[in-house]
Structure formats: structure tokens, C-alpha cells
Amino acid sequence: MKEVKISVRNLIEFVKRSGDIDRRFFSNKRAVEGIRAHQRVQREYSKDFLTEVFLRTQEEIEDIIFTVEGRADGIEVANEVTVDEIKSTTRNLEELKKEENLMHWAQAKCYAYIYAKDNDLNNINVMLTYYQLETEEILNIKKTFTFYELRDFFMETLMEYLEFSRRIVEWKDIRNSSIKKLKFPFKTFRKGQRELSVAVYNTIDSENKLFVEAPTGIGKSISTIFPTIKAMGEDKIDKAFYLVARSTGKQAAKDALERLLNRNLKLKITVVTAKDKICLNDKVSCNPKDCIYAKGHFDRVNDAIIDIFDSCDNFTRENIEKFAKLHIVCPFEYQLDLLDFSDFIVCDYNYIFDPTVYLKRFFENSMIRFTLLIDESHNLLDRGREMYSAEVFIADLEKLFEILPKKRKAARKHIRNALDEFKKLDNRTFYSYDSFIYFNVEVEKTVFSMNDFLTKDKEAKDYEKALDIYFSIFKYTKILEYYNRDFVSIKSEDSIKIKSLDIAPIFANILKTPRSSVFFSATLNPIKYYGKLLGADEKTNYYKIKSPFDPNNLVVLRNNKISTVYRDRENSIEEIIENLKNFSEDKGNYIFFFPSYSFMEKVYESYIEIAENENIVKQDREMTEFEREEFLNNFTFSSSTIAFAVMGGVFSEGIDLIGNRLRGVAIITVGLPGLSYERNILKSHFQKKYNRGYEYAYIYPGMIKVVQAAGRVIRTEDDKGKILLMDKRFSIEPYSLLLPSQWKIYDFNDPTEIKDILKNFN
């Protein structure tokens, strides 16, 4: 007998859903998780109520055993047993009395069936409890069912899922059989690749976390993906996520997976495409009025899922768009549904870590065993802080007040109150570890009270602008749920901002759900700094893999004299240019990395005045994807291009210019983030918490950018290249200790010494 595992929620959503997509406003009962609403209702339960009751049952239908589980919000065990399902809403409760939500009843009836079966009950009550978020009123709707009525309903629901279940079971056998035969897709492992693969496999096997620093060019994508798939074939996990910060990382993972598919691997793969890119319309308008794919989407999407599942293994963007057009469904929502039936998923960090868009379905279903592979994970620290920060602009509240019709009295009142509370705060810019409670209360009430406008006034002037503002302030209220002593509230002239300082406790909680997590990058130094701030625990393993490349293929020059601190930069430009000219005298392509656009542009302007017949290009502040490709096209195997770029930008990591496409890289300054009010708050916080304020806020983030930029030079075993470090701080601790240990560094004071050092290397 084969087993299919599914949660009550996923079962009901797959079988019972219907209707349109309407993202002009999706009701708060979906947008707000309702955690506080659940807690409020549960606090008012009598002593006879059990809360958050875990339920599981197995049912055999034909040749399949279904394991179905879920968690009931509340079960009253008294003279009569009542299963309660709590739903939060902003709708008028009188309206809910007159209509029946089939999805809500279906979910509650499944819980009631499992409990009645386990406890030999002939009859059981099922209750829906609606909590009105704005008024805090509660509506209870109760029905009584016999055990046989519930059993018939439950079995009929499973029968509707049976056909697709067989596909899942058959596919798993095909997949695992192909994985057993799968061999590493290259003749031999590169140095370090086997080490990394073994470390990843052991981490999955032991259900642990791993932070690993693996050098650039080792082939991290295939070295993490291959052992993960092998573990999947041995039934250690059901699914894997490969998380990336940039499109370049996504492409590397896609290439590695397709290489394995070409070796007869059978694997359902989805590389997630952003909504604005995969949308089939000229403008993203997710509502049945403006989009034919949104109208009736849920009536047709299951057929679309079955069709693509039977037709192909690689759910590429092209395939998703093809079947979306065929079945007239929204390609983005269709893509998200396909993740339930994908074995390997490549997507951005935010689909796991961002509180407003994360894939909740995988965190609510305890039966899914999945692992996370987190690429270039040094990027996750700043990204994570951004995910858990939010800002309300006073101009947005004023604009929203203008847009709302006068009949929307409650929403207008709360906006006016929020503006008044803002005025009561000091005129100066300041921050506080305590949230601005009175302002926040009015912002939250604004969100809840906008339901009527958003659902009934969709034709109002500037509705789309109001919706954008709504989602902005909704995120603010969402982040408030996480507020603790690792957050501050910043009051400026025109906004209130919640800023996350230390995301470690939040991430530690998120990482409890995956069976294993692997954080990897070429630059995780100090490695335990990243572990500490990204949610590692005492069992987490740390590993550093030595560079497999011949150290004689890279020469690193370090100027011990030049100062590029902010106050000295203007006076250093002439000397910087002399260093750059001597460093790049021989033919080839070079990139000069600077700490900021403004400093880069000043040096660039001076450099081109003395340049002789050189092909010089410069990174612009705003560049389209096409412009970025054109920039990189200047680096050919036979060209001599000088490029000016910014550390931490799109050209300082994630690009591969192998062989003669890149001869050398110059790095000007130690890359410290610019001094700012918010960065200094971060420094102060980490000084109090870890006694390492300046290191955590400035030095470590800066030196990561330096090493990432330097990593563009050596990408393969055959590459040869050179690096120029320009800032005397590179020679002193702690900066010198953060440079890669395998570098052979040649110190000098005078630019004329560069030629002598390079004489033997060139």
C-alpha cells in the first residue's frame, strides 16, 4: 500500500475551492493571520475547551492510505462535544449570518470527523466562530452532525482527491528510482566539492543546520543540490528549497538542475518567477474585471495542475505560461500551487523569510519534510532586517484621508487620530525601543476600518493609490506583531519607522520548521557572526572549505600608505589614479571597485582626462537588465576594458568573467557602510547586546563586500589574476584578519613598486 500525506487545509483548498481571484482587495480574514483574534477567542473559552488540538487519521481507499492531519482551534468536551473553527473578519457579522462559507464548514467538519472517530461519538457539534477585528464582536454559528454524515463527507472529499493522489504516488516511485541511478554529472569532483557534498548530505541526514564557507569557483550550486537530491531519493526529505538573493544565483541553480535532468533524473522542478514578470497582461491587475485569467481561476486551476503534472517535469516559466493560457488561469497563482507538487523549488529568500509573502502552506503542514539551501547567505542579514522593518509616511496618511469618501467615517476618523498622535511627538528625529503605542493603535484601526471602502468602493477615484497605501500600512501593522527589544521605532520629520536590528530570534523560530538548513557562501567571515545573527543554535555545525585553486595564480598587492577615509578621499584621488594606472598597465580587462557612486564618479572624471585610447565604462546608478548585460559584454577574451563599479552592487558578486575576460580587480577602501543615523542605532544595539557594535555594524559588512568584489578574479582552476587593495587599514587588525588566508599579499608604499611586484607575475 502507498501512503499519501496531506493536511486538512490543503485537502479542502484543493477539492473545494472555486471562483475568481480578486486582489484589488483580499479580505482581512485572509490578509491578517488572525493570531490575536484566535488568542482572544480562546481566552474566553470555558474550562471545558481544549485549544490547538492536534488531530490525525488514516483512511484506506482502494490501494492508497491517506494520512490526514490538522489542528483544531478549539474543542469543547462537556455533555456535548463541539469542534470550533475560528475565523477573523472585517465584514459585517449580520452578512455572515445570511451566507454559508463552504470552505470554512468543510475544514471544521473534517476536524469533527477525526475527533468523533477517535472518541467513538455518534453525534458532534461543529461551530464557526467569527471575530470582527474592528468591533471585536463575536458571532457563533453552530450545527450538529451525526458521525455517519461526517464520515460520508470526509470520504467523498478524499475520493475527489484520489485520482490526483495516484499520480503523486506513482511519480514518487519514478523519481526515487531515477535518483538511485543518478551519478555526479562531471567526471570527477573538483577539490572541495566532495567535502561540501558530504557536509550537506550529513546535515540533512542528521536534521541539523550548517554554515559553510566555500570558496568562489568551487561549484557550490551542484555541490549542494546533488547531495540534497540523493537524500530525497532515500526518503530523508520530501522537498527542497534553493533560496537566492539575485537572479544570477537563480540561473546557476537552474543550470545545475537541468544538467541533472539531462542525465535522466526525474524531478518536478519550479523556478519561481516574480508576479510582474510572469503576468500575461500588459499591466498587473489581479481582479475578474480587468483580467480574464483571474475570472473563474479557481474553477479551472486543478485541471491545469493535472495537465502540466502529466505533461512535463520541469515547470519552467515557459511551460507555466503555456498551460496558464491553455486553461485560462493566472500564471502566478498557478505557479504557487505547483509548489505543492514540486520536488525542488528555486526562489528568492522572501518566499521563506518575509512575514508578508512567505509560503505559509509549508509552515502550517508539519507532514512536509523539507530542507533549505540558502545561497550567498551573507546577503540574508541585511535582507532579513529589511523584511522585518516597515515605515508609515505621513504624506501617505494625508493622501489616504483625501481619497476616502466622507461616508467612510470610521477610517477617516482613525487616520485623523493617527496624524494627531504624530504631531504630539517631538519635532526632532529620535528613536525609542518602546513603540509609539497611541499612533500604532490608530494605524491598526485604520487598516481594519478600511474594509468597506476596499470591498465596496472599487470604482472610486484613486482607488489603486489607496490600495497601495493600504498595503504599505498593513505591512507596518504586520511587523508590529514581531516587535520586541530587538526593534526600535524611529520618528523622523515625515514618517514613523519600525526598524529591525537583530533578526536572530525570529529566524531561529522560522528554522524550527525545515528538517535541515544549509547556509553557504564564499564569504562568511567571521562565520559564527553570521550563525549568531541568522538563527543558529548550539547544535549548528560550522565548516570552512579551503580554496582548491593554486595560490600562485593570484597576486594581491596592498598599498600600506594611502588613506581613503572620508576626510582624505578628495586629496587621495591623484594618488589613487596613479596606482590604478600602474596596476592595469598590461593588456586585459579590469574592474575598479569604489565604496560609493559619488566617490567613483569623482575618480572616473579625473581618470578619463588622462586616459589614452582606453575603453572605459562606468556603472550607472540605475541600470536595466539589458544595460547590465551590455556592460558585461565589454569584457571579452580579447578586449582591454577598464570598468568603474561600486562595491556591493550588481557587478561585485554573482558574475562569472572567466579566463581572460577579467585580468584584475582594484578595491578602493575597506567598504564600510556609510555613516548614518540608522547604522549608528545598529552599532549601539550590538554594542549593548554583544559588545561588538562597530564590528557588527560597520567592519564585518564592509569587509564582506571587499572579499566578494575580489572574488570576481579567480573563477576556475585555470584562471590567473591580480588584486589591488588601496587603503592602509587593510594592513591592520581586524581588517587584515578578515582577508582570505590563502592570499599571497605583497605590501608596498609607493605606486612605482607595483611594476616590480608584477614583473614576475605578468
Side-chain angles (χ1 to χ4, degrees):
M1 298 288 284
K2 299 294 184 179
E3 183 183 19
V4 170
K5 299 177 182 179
I6 190 168
S7 69
V8 168
R9 181 170 185 161
N10 286 357
L11 174 65
I12 296 304
E13 285 190 353
F14 187 88
V15 172
K16 302 296 183 183
R17 60 186 172 178
S18 62
D20 308 329
I21 295 171
D22 193 345
R23 291 293 184 264
R24 287 176 294 184
F25 172 63
F26 50 96
S27 171
N28 280 320
K29 65 176 179 281
R30 291 186 66 185
V32 178
E33 290 182 314
I35 295 172
R36 283 173 292 178
H38 279 62
Q39 292 172 343
R40 173 71 183 273
V41 172
Q42 289 169 340
R43 280 199 300 270
E44 295 184 5
Y45 279 157
S46 71
K47 60 180 176 56
D48 296 323
F49 264 95
L50 307 173
T51 61
E52 301 299 325
V53 182
F54 179 77
L55 299 166
R56 174 185 286 166
T57 190
Q58 285 192 327
E59 300 291 346
E60 184 178 325
I61 300 180
E62 297 182 11
D63 55 343
I64 293 178
I65 295 175
F66 288 93
T67 300
V68 185
E69 69 174 38
R71 198 173 293 275
D73 294 327
I75 299 179
E76 183 183 30
V77 184
N79 293 332
E80 294 182 343
V81 175
T82 301
V83 172
D84 189 22
E85 179 70 12
I86 303 169
K87 299 295 180 184
S88 56
T89 184
T90 55
R91 292 184 59 191
N92 187 311
L93 295 183
E94 289 299 317
E95 294 177 4
L96 294 175
K97 288 181 182 178
K98 301 171 186 176
E99 63 181 59
E100 189 168 279
N101 188 305
L102 297 178
M103 295 273 286
H104 293 172
W105 280 110
Q107 196 170 336
K109 285 163 72 175
C110 287
Y111 295 138
Y113 165 70
I114 298 172
Y115 190 85
K117 177 187 174 186
D118 289 347
N119 293 275
D120 296 322
L121 301 179
N122 293 322
N123 298 283
I124 190 168
N125 298 323
V126 178
M127 183 165 70
L128 293 183
T129 296
Y130 289 102
Y131 179 91
Q132 219 288 345
L133 287 164
E134 186 182 359
T135 65
E136 299 185 351
E137 294 177 311
I138 293 174
L139 170 67
N140 299 120
I141 305 174
K142 186 186 288 188
K143 296 181 181 181
T144 302
F145 296 92
T146 68
F147 170 75
Y148 298 104
E149 288 174 323
L150 293 173
R151 184 188 65 182
D152 289 346
F153 171 80
F154 192 78
M155 299 305 283
E156 286 169 7
T157 302
L158 288 179
M159 284 296 293
E160 290 184 65
Y161 193 63
L162 180 63
E163 180 187 352
F164 193 67
S165 297
R166 285 207 178 92
R167 286 177 167 85
I168 295 171
V169 167
E170 290 169 3
W171 169 253
K172 188 174 180 180
D173 287 342
I174 293 169
R175 182 197 72 187
N176 290 352
S177 176
S178 76
I179 292 174
K180 286 177 183 176
K181 299 172 186 174
L182 183 67
K183 294 182 179 179
F184 194 68
F186 299 97
K187 288 183 179 179
T188 59
F189 284 90
R190 288 182 192 170
K191 289 180 182 177
Q193 276 190 325
R194 188 183 293 277
E195 273 184 85
L196 179 54
S197 293
V198 169
V200 171
Y201 180 88
N202 288 340
T203 299
I204 296 171
D205 186 42
S206 60
E207 298 186 357
N208 202 354
K209 290 183 275 291
L210 171 69
F211 282 76
V212 58
E213 185 179 68
T216 295
I218 198 175
K220 291 186 287 294
S221 297
I222 195 66
S223 302
T224 52
I225 289 171
F226 179 75
T228 301
I229 291 172
K230 279 294 188 181
M232 189 183 296
E234 295 171 8
D235 199 34
K236 297 182 186 297
I237 55 172
D238 303 309
K239 194 180 296 285
F241 288 86
Y242 191 102
L243 307 179
V244 301
R246 302 173 187 266
S247 57
T248 48
K250 189 182 289 186
Q251 186 61 47
K254 182 173 178 285
D255 291 345
L257 287 164
E258 289 180 350
R259 181 181 289 273
L260 294 172
L261 290 180
N262 291 334
R263 297 293 180 104
N264 297 318
L265 171 66
K266 300 295 182 183
L267 202 71
K268 300 291 185 186
I269 297 167
T270 301
V271 179
V272 178
T273 305
K275 180 188 285 189
D276 60 337
K277 291 184 177 179
I278 203 170
C279 180
L280 297 171
N281 299 319
D282 294 333
K283 179 185 176 185
V284 177
S285 297
C286 302
N287 66 80
K289 178 187 173 187
D290 298 323
C291 178
I292 61 168
Y293 302 101
K295 187 170 181 61
H297 166 90
F298 293 112
D299 299 326
R300 300 181 295 271
V301 70
N302 284 358
D303 288 338
I305 290 170
I306 291 169
D307 199 0
I308 196 172
F309 193 91
D310 290 346
S311 302
C312 55
D313 297 342
N314 194 353
F315 303 152
T316 62
R317 174 180 174 178
E318 294 74 21
N319 283 333
I320 289 170
E321 289 177 350
K322 171 186 169 184
F323 284 93
K325 289 176 183 177
L326 182 64
H327 291 273
I328 318 177
V329 295
C330 167
F332 182 71
E333 293 294 328
Y334 178 37
Q335 172 185 240
L336 294 184
D337 277 342
L338 287 173
L339 302 186
D340 288 330
F341 311 106
S342 300
D343 304 308
F344 208 104
I345 298 159
V346 181
C347 59
D348 189 271
Y349 295 155
N350 60 7
Y351 287 97
I352 294 295
F353 293 105
D354 191 307
T356 56
V357 299
Y358 78 104
L359 297 166
K360 192 187 303 183
R361 65 188 78 186
F362 296 112
F363 287 84
E364 292 179 340
N365 185 355
S366 63
M367 289 186 289
I368 299 176
R369 303 166 302 162
F370 65 90
T371 196
L372 303 179
L373 303 176
I374 304 151
D375 186 25
E376 301 292 1
S377 45
H378 63 277
N379 286 310
L380 185 55
L381 201 47
D382 282 340
R383 280 282 302 276
R385 291 193 192 110
E386 290 171 13
M387 291 173 190
Y388 288 87
S389 299
E391 192 165 10
V392 173
F393 291 94
I394 299 308
D396 281 348
L397 292 179
E398 292 170 342
K399 181 65 178 177
L400 191 58
F401 187 83
E402 288 177 20
I403 294 172
L404 291 177
K406 290 183 179 179
K407 64 182 178 181
R408 302 303 172 201
K409 294 179 181 178
R412 286 168 61 89
K413 180 186 78 171
H414 293 308
I415 293 171
R416 193 184 304 111
N417 290 347
L419 293 170
D420 289 343
E421 291 300 332
F422 179 81
K423 290 175 184 175
K424 291 177 184 178
L425 299 170
D426 285 354
N427 289 329
R428 63 187 175 89
T429 295
F430 70 97
Y431 75 92
S432 169
Y433 277 93
D434 296 322
S435 65
F436 301 130
I437 295 175
Y438 298 112
F439 175 83
N440 293 342
V441 166
E442 296 301 332
V443 170
E444 286 185 312
K445 288 183 176 179
T446 298
V447 169
F448 295 148
S449 62
M450 282 185 66
N451 185 73
D452 282 348
F453 169 77
L454 293 167
T455 55
K456 298 175 182 178
D457 297 345
K458 293 178 181 179
E459 306 306 319
K461 183 182 177 183
D462 291 330
Y463 177 88
E464 291 294 330
K465 176 64 177 176
L467 190 59
D468 288 341
I469 296 172
Y470 167 81
F471 284 125
S472 175
I473 61 176
F474 169 74
K475 182 187 177 183
Y476 182 91
T477 63
K478 178 68 181 173
I479 299 303
L480 276 174
E481 296 176 13
Y482 297 88
Y483 202 95
N484 58 29
R485 299 305 291 177
D486 286 312
F487 287 76
V488 291
S489 291
I490 303 172
K491 186 269 173 189
S492 67
E493 290 183 4
D494 58 358
S495 71
I496 298 288
K497 182 175 185 178
I498 303 169
K499 182 170 179 62
S500 170
L501 303 175
D502 189 355
I503 53 174
I506 295 171
F507 275 34
N509 189 53
I510 291 171
L511 294 174
K512 290 177 182 177
T513 301
R515 295 299 172 98
S516 51
S517 303
V518 178
F519 295 77
F520 58 99
S521 172
T523 47
L524 284 181
N525 189 25
I527 196 166
K528 290 197 174 181
Y529 155 78
Y530 283 98
K532 181 183 288 186
L533 297 188
L534 288 174
D537 56 30
E538 65 280 356
K539 295 180 181 178
T540 299
N541 290 322
Y542 297 90
Y543 197 51
K544 286 196 174 189
I545 294 175
K546 293 180 180 178
S547 173
F549 305 133
D550 185 347
N552 293 316
N553 285 351
L554 177 69
V555 61
V556 181
L557 299 91
R558 180 168 58 189
N559 187 314
N560 290 330
K561 177 189 172 189
I562 198 166
S563 172
T564 60
V565 295
Y566 189 77
R567 64 178 177 272
D568 294 334
R569 286 181 185 174
E570 290 281 351
N571 296 328
S572 300
I573 290 177
E574 187 176 329
E575 189 176 358
I576 288 170
I577 290 174
E578 187 179 358
N579 276 263
L580 294 175
K581 294 291 286 184
N582 289 349
F583 175 68
S584 60
E585 195 172 63
D586 58 324
K587 288 185 178 181
N589 301 310
Y590 292 86
I591 304 179
F592 303 155
F593 286 106
F594 293 82
S596 67
Y597 282 100
S598 58
F599 188 39
M600 176 192 73
E601 286 161 354
K602 286 179 181 177
V603 178
Y604 171 81
E605 292 299 330
S606 298
Y607 190 95
I608 59 175
E609 289 179 5
I610 61 170
E612 298 177 2
N613 301 319
E614 294 180 58
N615 179 32
I616 304 172
V617 295
K618 175 174 66 71
Q619 179 181 350
D620 292 329
R621 292 173 186 259
E622 299 290 337
M623 297 180 78
T624 64
E625 195 168 328
F626 174 77
E627 288 169 335
R628 292 198 293 267
E629 288 177 8
E630 286 295 296
F631 183 92
L632 293 175
N633 287 339
N634 287 285
F635 298 83
T636 69
F637 289 99
S638 58
S639 62
S640 289
T641 296
I642 300 293
F644 284 69
V646 174
M647 270 187 283
V650 292
F651 302 119
S652 66
E653 59 179 281
I655 61 168
D656 280 316
L657 298 172
I658 63 173
N660 291 334
R661 290 191 69 193
L662 187 62
R663 178 69 170 150
V665 158
I667 298 170
I668 296 90
T669 87
V670 290
L672 302 187
L675 289 170
S676 70
Y677 185 71
E678 291 190 13
R679 183 62 61 169
N680 282 337
I681 295 173
L682 200 63
K683 181 184 79 169
S684 174
H685 183 75
F686 285 133
Q687 185 63 30
K688 292 174 187 173
K689 190 168 183 178
Y690 300 121
N691 199 33
R692 303 296 292 273
Y694 192 66
E695 291 92 332
Y696 277 28
Y698 285 98
I699 294 177
Y700 296 162
M703 289 300 291
I704 283 292
K705 289 191 287 185
V706 167
V707 178
Q708 274 290 330
R712 299 314 94 208
V713 179
I714 302 293
R715 309 299 295 176
T716 71
E717 294 174 353
D718 299 323
D719 286 355
K720 292 186 70 175
K722 50 189 177 178
I723 297 168
L724 172 62
L725 303 176
M726 273 194 280
D727 191 309
K728 61 185 179 182
R729 286 173 290 181
F730 282 122
S731 302
I732 61 174
E733 296 182 5
Y735 303 96
S736 60
L737 297 177
L738 296 170
L739 297 173
S741 59
Q742 71 271 17
W743 281 4
K744 284 189 173 182
I745 299 177
Y746 297 85
D747 292 315
F748 69 95
N749 293 312
D750 192 292
T752 58
E753 298 176 58
I754 293 176
K755 293 180 182 180
D756 292 332
I757 296 171
L758 293 177
K759 186 166 52 180
N760 295 326
F761 183 75
N762 291 331

